[in-house]
Amino acid sequence: MYDPADEKVDALFGALTTLLQGLQPALVKRLLSRLFEEMALHEIFAEQAAGRPLPAEAVEEGLTEHWERVEELRNDKAAAFLHAIQMEEF
């Protein structure tokens, strides 16, 4: 869960919010589409590894069980996303 008390994370997501608000809608849609495509691909890989679709409960349990790693990866991906946006030609 996003924690606004974490100043580093708050600054990162604040920068993303500010940057996204200033972009053309078509670019925001393209960037968001890429995020959801990556999430979908990871879900497919998880389903293949498990041999079946993952129930919502398993996802919630996984978030709880692996929260520190999820948070670390989330922040890394958010920083990479911010960098990718900044590298886009406007």
Side-chain angles (χ1 to χ4, degrees):
M1 187 67 58
Y2 167 75
D3 180 8
D6 184 330
E7 291 178 13
K8 184 177 177 181
V9 172
D10 190 54
L12 173 62
F13 282 89
L16 278 168
T17 301
T18 300
L19 196 55
L20 286 172
Q21 289 173 340
L23 296 177
Q24 295 294 321
L27 180 55
V28 174
K29 290 174 187 175
R30 200 169 70 221
L31 292 167
L32 290 173
S33 175
R34 177 66 180 144
L35 283 176
F36 288 112
E37 288 164 2
E38 185 175 324
M39 288 171 48
L41 181 59
H42 285 276
E43 187 169 331
I44 289 167
F45 289 154
E47 287 175 358
Q48 289 175 341
R52 58 178 164 44
L54 299 175
E57 301 83 34
V59 173
E60 287 301 317
E61 287 174 16
L63 282 171
T64 301
E65 182 178 342
H66 301 286
W67 177 246
E68 288 182 20
R69 181 69 175 139
V70 168
E71 186 176 37
E72 177 186 345
L73 288 171
R74 180 204 63 200
N75 294 342
D76 290 348
K77 288 185 173 293
F81 184 59
L82 177 60
H83 179 73
I85 293 171
Q86 292 170 330
M87 299 304 293
E88 279 285 329
E89 294 182 26
F90 294 87

